[in-house]
Amino acid sequence: MSDNLRSRVVTQGVQRSPNRAMLRAVGFEDADFNKAIVGIANGYSTITPCNMGINKLAQRAEAGIKIAGAMPQIFGTITISDGISMGTEGMKYSLVSREVIADSIETACTGQSMDGVLAIGGCDKNMPGAMLAIARMNIPAIFVYGGTIKPGHYNGRDLTVVSSFEAVGQYSAGKIDETELTAVEQNACPGAGSCGGMFTANTMSSAFEAMGMSLPYSSTMAAEDAEKADSTEKSALVLVEAIRKQLLPRQIITRKSIENAIAVIMAVGGSTNAVLHFLAIASAAGVELTIDDFETIRGRVPVLCDLKPSGRYVATDLHKAGGIPQVMKMLLVHDLLHSDCITITGQTIAEVLADVPNEPSPDQDVIRPWDKPMYAQGHLAVLKGNLATEGAVAKITGVKKPVITGPARVFESEESCLDAILAGKIKAGDVIVIRYEGPKGGPGMREMLAPTSAIIGAGLGDAVGLITDGRFSGGTYGMVVGHVAPEAAVGGAIALVEEGDTITIDAPSRLLQLNISDEELASRRANWQPRPPRYTKGVLAKYAKLVSSSSLGAVTDLGLFDS
């Protein structure tokens, strides 16, 4: 079988002489027109430390593809730095960038008739964006993570970017002075790589390794270590072999492999954003998956890893302790993984993990032994009730008071809420409501790391509840509930909450309830009027028009032609 199944349409035949003329200008020679053309979706940029080291990886991938006998073509994809845009209007573009990345990779690969693609990404939306494109196109593909940042250090403790967000709350509450605030800022991010805890980037990289779309151990490597570049070149070799064998993404991205990924997300204490992204990936791959499936898996998978944001360690510590393969082997031994899932290497999960120990080394405590987990069940709970009939997502582990009933403090935006927290206007027992920040209402479903970190910094993490139709950063923890659906912009019950209403968040019962009568709720709904769109032109306007509910993954191509 020819390796260049797709690219033949631009390289073969007399009529393609002009096409070949263009390709000669970028380095093709006579023999190269019979080789597979492999795209390298390069997420390099100096917008963010997450992506600033990726260009070197793209060059190693390019070298590996040539060694394997194929022809590489590098093209760029965009990124948004969540950490830099956090708390600003710019954060509305973060989730939107997931779709832009997916569309750009699909456009380049399909427009150029590429035979396969190696996607390299760093910041949060790079990964699901790339995987959406990979699942849609279904051409041989592999994902390469740009790597995690190493921890910063100050006064004997490890720092991440979340440390800086929390320091803002500590400073506003008078707990630290400006000197310490500045010192944390100066030391939190020491170099290249994605945010260091088990935040969204490391969660998604870990999940992709578990799903079989990235090489073993690659998801927890530090961006600046030599092994990351070596792994990238190896990924290129593996991809070219997958092209020869026509091992396609939809053979790898299956219901079983997504269940494996979700099990690992629970075991490592991953980000709430993983729920949103895997609903979208499943949709793109044609796999049946609902928000309730996360709750089912949560009930049987323990949290095994002591990782930030609520734990002690960062991703590089997990890597030293055995990485994702060690976590997967523990799940496999206890029948919580599907062992027969195929991976991009051509091996099954069972074969990949054959030589990994059944239990982690006793010389570390990043990964707990099976009989002493961090928590007996997973941490990402799906809450429902009259405030979230389609569901909402909460991290429930590490919360000292998993049930709260308190008065609603209602805010129509993230900024107004943050101002109130920093001004000391939020008290113990309050339940904060931030609305009109959903996929359509924001638009873009901003992450709320600034207010949640300010709550933690003010010492109210176990005393205040927060609900929103927006999202939370992977760095968020505390009694917080996001992804409330239906969202306010479409008339969801969160739009009907009034200041002083009592709200119950009951994590053990997975309940999110507005404590008013059905009759009162119906009356408020009858009087509700939708708000005019915040944007009428450009990418945010298009996104708001097309985007689905967060309970369906906030995708933009769902039911486009339904009658």
Side-chain angles (χ1 to χ4, degrees):
M1 181 181 291
S2 174
D3 292 346
N4 56 343
L5 290 178
R6 283 165 52 92
S7 62
R8 290 177 64 84
V9 301
V10 295
T11 60
Q12 304 299 311
V14 172
Q15 71 276 26
R16 296 307 177 202
S17 180
N19 310 60
R20 291 192 294 273
M22 295 283 284
L23 289 170
R24 289 180 191 277
V26 297
F28 279 62
E29 298 179 356
D30 288 347
D32 297 327
F33 295 117
N34 293 313
K35 297 176 181 178
I37 296 177
V38 182
I40 300 172
N42 181 5
Y44 166 74
S45 79
T46 56
I47 283 177
T48 173
C50 307
N51 290 53
M52 71 182 191
I54 286 177
N55 209 40
K56 293 179 181 178
L57 302 183
Q59 291 167 352
R60 283 293 295 272
E62 183 179 41
I65 289 167
K66 288 180 178 178
I67 290 169
M71 287 302 290
Q73 290 190 322
I74 297 178
F75 61 93
T77 66
I78 63 113
T79 194
I80 295 294
S81 173
D82 288 7
I84 296 172
S85 64
M86 194 75 69
T88 74
E89 193 81 354
M91 189 64 196
K92 292 180 178 180
Y93 288 84
S94 171
L95 187 58
V96 175
S97 76
R98 184 188 77 179
E99 311 309 307
V100 176
I101 292 164
D103 291 350
S104 68
I105 294 174
E106 177 189 351
T107 299
C109 291
T110 306
Q112 297 299 120
S113 303
M114 294 175 182
D115 297 293
V117 63
L118 182 150
I120 313 176
C123 199
D124 294 8
K125 308 311 172 295
N126 297 183
M127 281 154 283
M131 200 57 65
L132 286 176
I134 287 167
R136 287 180 199 164
M137 296 185 297
N138 201 35
I139 63 173
I142 193 167
F143 183 81
V144 174
Y145 182 37
T148 185
I149 196 170
K150 294 179 179 181
H153 303 285
Y154 176 68
N155 272 355
R157 60 190 176 103
D158 287 346
L159 300 180
T160 69
V161 69
V162 174
S163 307
S164 192
F165 279 97
E166 291 178 2
V168 172
Q170 292 166 342
Y171 175 75
S172 299
K175 296 185 175 185
I176 62 173
D177 60 19
E178 188 172 355
T179 300
E180 184 164 349
L181 174 68
T182 302
V184 172
E185 173 190 326
Q186 292 171 336
N187 291 282
C189 300
S194 298
C195 299
M198 191 48 68
F199 311 149
T200 303
N202 286 323
T203 297
M204 295 306 295
S205 68
S206 299
F208 287 178
E209 180 181 326
M211 191 167 62
M213 288 300 298
S214 296
L215 293 189
Y217 298 100
S218 66
S219 67
T220 51
M221 292 176 178
E224 296 179 325
D225 285 353
E227 65 175 347
K228 171 46 66 178
D230 294 341
S231 176
T232 301
E233 184 172 314
K234 184 178 179 181
S235 296
L237 304 179
V238 167
L239 174 59
V240 174
E241 186 62 24
I243 293 171
R244 294 190 174 120
K245 293 178 178 177
Q246 282 300 289
L247 177 56
L248 303 179
R250 291 194 188 184
Q251 295 171 261
I252 300 170
I253 307 171
T254 64
R255 169 71 187 215
K256 285 184 175 181
S257 73
I258 290 176
E259 287 183 353
N260 285 351
I262 295 170
V264 167
I265 290 164
M266 296 295 177
V268 299
S271 166
T272 55
N273 285 307
V275 177
L276 192 75
H277 297 324
F278 269 96
L279 288 169
I281 291 164
S283 176
V287 173
E288 289 288 332
L289 188 74
T290 71
I291 195 169
D292 295 320
D293 291 321
F294 289 83
E295 181 61 36
T296 300
I297 295 171
R298 182 192 76 82
R300 58 181 184 243
V301 177
V303 178
L304 296 172
C305 299
D306 186 7
L307 295 167
K308 292 180 182 292
S310 59
R312 293 179 291 166
Y313 296 105
V314 295
T316 50
D317 297 318
L318 174 60
H319 190 63
K320 294 171 187 173
I324 296 304
Q326 180 62 77
V327 176
M328 291 180 70
K329 184 59 174 282
M330 295 169 72
L331 295 173
L332 180 64
V333 167
H334 292 88
D335 298 321
L336 291 171
L337 286 187
H338 301 287
S339 63
D340 58 341
C341 289
I342 197 75
T343 72
I344 188 61
T345 66
Q347 295 177 297
T348 64
I349 289 293
E351 291 169 336
V352 168
L353 301 177
D355 296 329
V356 178
N358 290 352
E359 282 287 321
S361 168
D363 297 330
Q364 57 78 49
D365 57 358
V366 183
I367 308 172
R368 296 289 188 90
W370 188 264
D371 59 354
K372 294 180 181 178
M374 292 290 294
Y375 306 99
Q377 292 182 313
H379 63 303
L380 298 182
V382 175
L383 276 57
K384 290 189 174 182
N386 67 357
L387 262 175
T389 55
E390 293 178 13
V393 183
K395 278 186 182 178
I396 64 171
T397 49
V399 178
K400 294 179 181 178
K401 297 178 180 178
V403 180
I404 183 172
T405 295
R409 302 296 309 279
V410 181
F411 300 93
E412 310 298 332
S413 71
E414 176 187 358
E415 289 89 347
S416 59
C417 175
L418 181 61
D419 289 344
I421 296 168
L422 296 181
K425 295 179 180 179
I426 300 300
K427 306 301 181 185
D430 287 345
V431 177
I432 297 168
V433 178
I434 306 176
R435 63 191 182 191
Y436 291 97
E437 291 283 9
K440 287 184 178 294
M445 209 177 177
R446 285 194 288 182
E447 292 180 354
M448 305 292 171
L449 182 57
T452 58
S453 295
I455 289 168
I456 295 293
L460 294 170
D462 293 310
V464 168
L466 189 155
I467 71 169
T468 181
D469 50 9
R471 297 182 296 129
F472 294 118
S473 162
T476 292
Y477 62 102
M479 194 59 167
V480 295
V481 183
H483 307 199
V484 172
E487 63 173 293
V490 299
I494 192 172
L496 311 178
V497 180
E498 297 180 359
E499 184 83 10
D501 286 344
T502 64
I503 290 174
T504 296
I505 306 172
D506 186 335
S509 298
R510 300 184 298 282
L511 177 68
L512 185 60
Q513 189 78 13
L514 175 60
N515 298 311
I516 62 174
S517 68
D518 292 344
E519 292 76 15
E520 174 63 18
L521 189 61
S523 174
R524 293 183 189 181
R525 181 169 284 115
N527 292 322
W528 177 82
Q529 293 292 325
R531 296 184 170 191
R534 286 176 167 169
Y535 302 86
T536 56
K537 289 187 177 182
V539 66
L540 290 182
K542 290 186 284 186
Y543 183 84
K545 182 74 172 178
L546 294 172
V547 70
S548 72
S549 169
S550 60
S551 66
L552 299 172
V555 297
T556 55
D557 58 356
L558 190 66
L560 288 178
F561 297 102
D562 291 350
S563 57

